[in-house]
Short mmCIF file of all heavy atoms in Angstrom, two decimals:
data_model
loop_
_atom_site.label_atom_id
_atom_site.label_comp_id
_atom_site.label_asym_id
_atom_site.label_seq_id
_atom_site.Cartn_x
_atom_site.Cartn_y
_atom_site.Cartn_z
N VAL A 1 -12.06 -51.30 -60.20
CA VAL A 1 -11.71 -50.33 -59.00
C VAL A 1 -11.93 -48.90 -59.57
O VAL A 1 -11.90 -48.01 -58.79
CB VAL A 1 -10.30 -50.51 -58.57
CG1 VAL A 1 -10.22 -51.85 -57.91
CG2 VAL A 1 -9.27 -50.32 -59.68
N ALA A 2 -12.26 -48.74 -60.84
CA ALA A 2 -12.53 -47.44 -61.33
C ALA A 2 -13.60 -47.59 -62.52
O ALA A 2 -13.58 -48.62 -63.19
CB ALA A 2 -11.29 -46.76 -61.94
N GLN A 3 -14.46 -46.59 -62.58
CA GLN A 3 -15.61 -46.70 -63.60
C GLN A 3 -15.89 -45.23 -64.06
O GLN A 3 -16.21 -44.43 -63.25
CB GLN A 3 -16.79 -47.43 -62.99
CG GLN A 3 -17.98 -47.40 -63.92
CD GLN A 3 -17.73 -48.37 -65.08
OE1 GLN A 3 -17.04 -49.42 -64.83
NE2 GLN A 3 -18.22 -48.06 -66.25
N ALA A 4 -15.81 -45.05 -65.36
CA ALA A 4 -16.31 -43.87 -65.94
C ALA A 4 -17.80 -44.08 -66.23
O ALA A 4 -18.19 -44.87 -67.20
CB ALA A 4 -15.55 -43.52 -67.30
N VAL A 5 -18.74 -43.45 -65.43
CA VAL A 5 -20.12 -43.75 -65.55
C VAL A 5 -20.89 -42.92 -66.59
O VAL A 5 -22.04 -43.27 -66.95
CB VAL A 5 -20.77 -43.62 -64.14
CG1 VAL A 5 -20.22 -44.59 -63.15
CG2 VAL A 5 -20.67 -42.19 -63.62
N ASN A 6 -20.29 -41.87 -67.18
CA ASN A 6 -20.93 -41.06 -68.12
C ASN A 6 -22.34 -40.69 -67.71
O ASN A 6 -23.33 -40.91 -68.51
CB ASN A 6 -20.98 -41.88 -69.47
CG ASN A 6 -21.43 -40.96 -70.58
OD1 ASN A 6 -21.31 -39.80 -70.67
ND2 ASN A 6 -21.96 -41.61 -71.68
N GLY A 7 -22.48 -40.14 -66.50
CA GLY A 7 -23.74 -39.61 -66.02
C GLY A 7 -24.65 -40.80 -65.77
O GLY A 7 -25.92 -40.52 -65.71
N GLY A 8 -24.28 -41.98 -65.54
CA GLY A 8 -25.04 -43.06 -65.13
C GLY A 8 -25.41 -43.94 -66.31
O GLY A 8 -25.97 -45.05 -66.16
N ALA A 9 -24.87 -43.59 -67.56
CA ALA A 9 -25.21 -44.49 -68.74
C ALA A 9 -24.34 -45.70 -68.87
O ALA A 9 -24.64 -46.70 -69.59
CB ALA A 9 -25.04 -43.58 -70.00
N ALA A 10 -23.12 -45.64 -68.08
CA ALA A 10 -22.24 -46.86 -68.22
C ALA A 10 -22.13 -47.33 -66.74
O ALA A 10 -21.22 -46.98 -65.98
CB ALA A 10 -20.87 -46.33 -68.70
N PRO A 11 -22.98 -48.22 -66.25
CA PRO A 11 -22.91 -48.75 -64.89
C PRO A 11 -21.65 -49.38 -64.46
O PRO A 11 -21.01 -49.98 -65.39
CB PRO A 11 -24.18 -49.61 -64.84
CG PRO A 11 -25.03 -49.24 -65.99
CD PRO A 11 -24.14 -48.85 -67.05
N TRP A 12 -21.39 -49.35 -63.20
CA TRP A 12 -20.35 -50.12 -62.59
C TRP A 12 -20.91 -51.53 -62.39
O TRP A 12 -22.00 -51.69 -61.84
CB TRP A 12 -19.96 -49.53 -61.29
CG TRP A 12 -18.99 -50.27 -60.49
CD1 TRP A 12 -17.68 -50.67 -60.87
CD2 TRP A 12 -19.12 -50.76 -59.14
NE1 TRP A 12 -17.03 -51.34 -59.82
CE2 TRP A 12 -17.95 -51.41 -58.72
CE3 TRP A 12 -20.19 -50.75 -58.19
CZ2 TRP A 12 -17.71 -51.99 -57.48
CZ3 TRP A 12 -19.98 -51.36 -56.85
CH2 TRP A 12 -18.74 -51.98 -56.65
N ARG A 13 -20.28 -52.56 -62.92
CA ARG A 13 -20.80 -53.95 -62.91
C ARG A 13 -19.75 -54.89 -62.26
O ARG A 13 -19.01 -55.63 -62.84
CB ARG A 13 -21.12 -54.41 -64.32
CG ARG A 13 -22.21 -53.57 -65.04
CD ARG A 13 -22.49 -54.19 -66.41
NE ARG A 13 -23.58 -53.41 -67.12
CZ ARG A 13 -24.82 -53.55 -66.96
NH1 ARG A 13 -25.26 -54.43 -66.11
NH2 ARG A 13 -25.68 -52.79 -67.62
N PRO A 14 -19.84 -55.01 -60.90
CA PRO A 14 -19.08 -56.01 -60.29
C PRO A 14 -19.68 -57.42 -60.25
O PRO A 14 -20.80 -57.54 -60.32
CB PRO A 14 -18.97 -55.45 -58.82
CG PRO A 14 -20.31 -54.83 -58.63
CD PRO A 14 -20.64 -54.23 -59.97
N ARG A 15 -18.77 -58.36 -60.05
CA ARG A 15 -19.28 -59.84 -59.99
C ARG A 15 -18.41 -60.64 -59.01
O ARG A 15 -17.16 -60.36 -58.82
CB ARG A 15 -19.14 -60.57 -61.37
CG ARG A 15 -20.05 -59.99 -62.46
CD ARG A 15 -19.82 -60.69 -63.72
NE ARG A 15 -18.46 -60.74 -64.31
CZ ARG A 15 -18.12 -61.51 -65.29
NH1 ARG A 15 -18.95 -62.41 -65.88
NH2 ARG A 15 -16.79 -61.34 -65.80
N TRP A 16 -19.11 -61.50 -58.31
CA TRP A 16 -18.42 -62.36 -57.26
C TRP A 16 -18.88 -63.74 -57.38
O TRP A 16 -20.02 -64.00 -57.65
CB TRP A 16 -18.79 -61.96 -55.81
CG TRP A 16 -18.33 -60.47 -55.51
CD1 TRP A 16 -17.17 -60.05 -54.97
CD2 TRP A 16 -19.09 -59.26 -55.76
NE1 TRP A 16 -17.16 -58.75 -54.82
CE2 TRP A 16 -18.39 -58.18 -55.27
CE3 TRP A 16 -20.41 -59.03 -56.29
CZ2 TRP A 16 -18.80 -56.84 -55.37
CZ3 TRP A 16 -20.95 -57.80 -56.32
CH2 TRP A 16 -20.10 -56.61 -55.84
N TRP A 17 -17.98 -64.74 -57.43
CA TRP A 17 -18.22 -66.13 -57.49
C TRP A 17 -18.07 -66.69 -56.10
O TRP A 17 -17.08 -66.53 -55.33
CB TRP A 17 -17.21 -66.87 -58.46
CG TRP A 17 -17.62 -66.52 -59.84
CD1 TRP A 17 -18.33 -67.39 -60.69
CD2 TRP A 17 -17.16 -65.49 -60.63
NE1 TRP A 17 -18.43 -66.84 -61.94
CE2 TRP A 17 -17.63 -65.62 -61.92
CE3 TRP A 17 -16.30 -64.39 -60.36
CZ2 TRP A 17 -17.39 -64.79 -62.94
CZ3 TRP A 17 -16.12 -63.52 -61.44
CH2 TRP A 17 -16.69 -63.67 -62.64
N LEU A 18 -19.17 -67.36 -55.60
CA LEU A 18 -19.18 -67.83 -54.13
C LEU A 18 -19.08 -69.34 -54.11
O LEU A 18 -19.44 -70.06 -55.06
CB LEU A 18 -20.60 -67.36 -53.54
CG LEU A 18 -20.77 -65.91 -53.62
CD1 LEU A 18 -22.17 -65.52 -52.95
CD2 LEU A 18 -19.77 -65.07 -53.00
N SER A 19 -18.71 -69.81 -52.92
CA SER A 19 -18.47 -71.21 -52.66
C SER A 19 -19.82 -71.97 -52.53
O SER A 19 -19.79 -73.21 -52.67
CB SER A 19 -17.65 -71.38 -51.49
OG SER A 19 -18.22 -70.87 -50.27
N THR A 20 -20.89 -71.35 -52.18
CA THR A 20 -22.16 -71.95 -52.04
C THR A 20 -23.32 -71.15 -52.74
O THR A 20 -23.14 -70.02 -52.87
CB THR A 20 -22.57 -72.06 -50.48
OG1 THR A 20 -22.63 -70.67 -49.92
CG2 THR A 20 -21.51 -72.92 -49.77
N PRO A 21 -24.38 -71.80 -53.07
CA PRO A 21 -25.58 -71.09 -53.49
C PRO A 21 -26.04 -69.92 -52.53
O PRO A 21 -25.87 -70.14 -51.24
CB PRO A 21 -26.61 -72.13 -53.72
CG PRO A 21 -25.88 -73.41 -53.90
CD PRO A 21 -24.66 -73.28 -52.98
N THR A 22 -26.52 -68.91 -52.97
CA THR A 22 -26.91 -67.76 -52.20
C THR A 22 -28.45 -67.59 -52.08
O THR A 22 -29.23 -67.71 -53.15
CB THR A 22 -26.37 -66.56 -52.83
OG1 THR A 22 -24.95 -66.66 -52.82
CG2 THR A 22 -26.72 -65.23 -51.97
N ALA A 23 -28.91 -67.44 -50.89
CA ALA A 23 -30.31 -67.27 -50.67
C ALA A 23 -30.77 -65.87 -51.00
O ALA A 23 -31.82 -65.45 -51.54
CB ALA A 23 -30.74 -67.56 -49.26
N SER A 24 -29.83 -64.76 -50.56
CA SER A 24 -30.09 -63.38 -50.86
C SER A 24 -28.77 -62.67 -50.75
O SER A 24 -27.84 -63.14 -50.14
CB SER A 24 -31.19 -62.80 -49.99
OG SER A 24 -30.66 -62.87 -48.60
N TRP A 25 -28.66 -61.51 -51.32
CA TRP A 25 -27.43 -60.65 -51.13
C TRP A 25 -27.80 -59.20 -51.11
O TRP A 25 -28.81 -58.76 -51.55
CB TRP A 25 -26.49 -60.94 -52.29
CG TRP A 25 -26.97 -60.71 -53.69
CD1 TRP A 25 -27.61 -61.55 -54.50
CD2 TRP A 25 -27.04 -59.43 -54.46
NE1 TRP A 25 -28.09 -60.95 -55.70
CE2 TRP A 25 -27.58 -59.65 -55.66
CE3 TRP A 25 -26.45 -58.13 -54.13
CZ2 TRP A 25 -27.80 -58.69 -56.61
CZ3 TRP A 25 -26.63 -57.10 -55.07
CH2 TRP A 25 -27.20 -57.36 -56.32
N LYS A 26 -26.85 -58.44 -50.44
CA LYS A 26 -26.96 -56.95 -50.40
C LYS A 26 -25.59 -56.30 -50.62
O LYS A 26 -24.63 -56.77 -50.08
CB LYS A 26 -27.51 -56.70 -49.09
CG LYS A 26 -27.69 -55.11 -48.87
CD LYS A 26 -28.44 -54.83 -47.50
CE LYS A 26 -27.49 -55.07 -46.29
NZ LYS A 26 -28.11 -54.64 -45.01
N LEU A 27 -25.67 -55.27 -51.42
CA LEU A 27 -24.41 -54.57 -51.76
C LEU A 27 -24.72 -53.08 -51.37
O LEU A 27 -25.60 -52.40 -51.75
CB LEU A 27 -24.09 -54.54 -53.21
CG LEU A 27 -22.95 -53.72 -53.64
CD1 LEU A 27 -21.60 -54.29 -53.17
CD2 LEU A 27 -22.84 -53.73 -55.17
N THR A 28 -23.89 -52.60 -50.37
CA THR A 28 -24.02 -51.28 -49.84
C THR A 28 -22.89 -50.36 -50.28
O THR A 28 -21.70 -50.79 -50.14
CB THR A 28 -24.11 -51.20 -48.28
OG1 THR A 28 -25.23 -52.10 -47.87
CG2 THR A 28 -24.27 -49.86 -47.78
N VAL A 29 -23.15 -49.24 -50.92
CA VAL A 29 -22.12 -48.30 -51.29
C VAL A 29 -22.16 -47.09 -50.52
O VAL A 29 -23.22 -46.47 -50.26
CB VAL A 29 -22.37 -47.89 -52.85
CG1 VAL A 29 -21.26 -47.06 -53.35
CG2 VAL A 29 -22.44 -49.22 -53.64
N ARG A 30 -21.03 -46.63 -50.02
CA ARG A 30 -20.93 -45.50 -49.17
C ARG A 30 -19.85 -44.49 -49.74
O ARG A 30 -18.90 -44.90 -50.36
CB ARG A 30 -20.46 -45.97 -47.78
CG ARG A 30 -21.37 -46.87 -47.01
CD ARG A 30 -20.82 -47.22 -45.64
NE ARG A 30 -21.88 -48.10 -45.02
CZ ARG A 30 -22.85 -47.67 -44.23
NH1 ARG A 30 -22.93 -46.34 -44.08
NH2 ARG A 30 -23.59 -48.50 -43.68
N SER A 31 -20.11 -43.28 -49.38
CA SER A 31 -19.07 -42.26 -49.66
C SER A 31 -17.76 -42.58 -48.92
O SER A 31 -17.75 -42.80 -47.71
CB SER A 31 -19.51 -40.89 -49.22
OG SER A 31 -18.43 -39.96 -49.22
N ALA A 32 -16.62 -42.58 -49.67
CA ALA A 32 -15.41 -42.94 -48.96
C ALA A 32 -14.97 -41.86 -48.02
O ALA A 32 -14.12 -42.11 -47.11
CB ALA A 32 -14.23 -43.11 -50.03
N THR A 33 -15.34 -40.63 -48.18
CA THR A 33 -14.98 -39.53 -47.35
C THR A 33 -15.90 -39.42 -46.07
O THR A 33 -15.34 -39.33 -45.05
CB THR A 33 -14.92 -38.24 -48.14
OG1 THR A 33 -16.13 -38.05 -48.76
CG2 THR A 33 -13.75 -38.16 -49.09
#
């Protein structure tokens, strides 16, 4: 829920385990404000 990215050198790395195999996925990031 928090990440010190150091100018992009330390990426945010989320992971999700799903109930079925996945054909494709999309992650959209938006400004919270």
